[in-house]
Amino acid sequence: ELPDAGETLQYNVYRFERGKQAVKTGSTNGQEKFIDTSASRGKQYFYYVIAVGENKIESDRSNEAVVKY
């Protein structure tokens, strides 16, 4: 939940590979579930999320999660 931002409207999901720039991979309409359909098998990715409130205020980025496909 975001302070003074109102209800969370969406979550922006960012993905990067070690040593590379993070790219916005997708967003959800307030749902806490995201499926990365553009990930490649055999690669390791790092993800983080930024919540966006109804007042367009963004949260700090989340902790990173690592996934190997």
Side-chain angles (χ1 to χ4, degrees):
E1 190 171 308
L2 304 171
D4 302 321
E7 185 178 336
T8 300
L9 291 183
Q10 70 182 39
Y11 295 97
N12 293 330
V13 180
Y14 295 81
R15 179 183 80 194
F16 64 98
E17 295 176 64
R18 180 143 336 265
K20 295 188 178 179
Q21 185 75 22
V23 175
K24 183 177 172 185
T25 304
S27 61
T28 69
N29 294 333
Q31 297 178 16
E32 297 177 1
K33 178 180 179 181
F34 175 77
I35 298 173
D36 187 352
T37 59
S38 64
S40 297
R41 187 173 291 259
K43 290 196 172 190
Q44 178 173 284
Y45 296 107
F46 298 83
Y47 294 87
Y48 64 87
V49 175
I50 295 177
V52 181
E54 60 189 359
N55 297 334
K56 305 295 183 206
I57 296 173
E58 293 187 344
S59 70
D60 293 333
R61 63 186 257 182
S62 68
N63 291 331
E64 294 173 1
V66 61
V67 177
K68 184 167 185 177
Y69 288 92

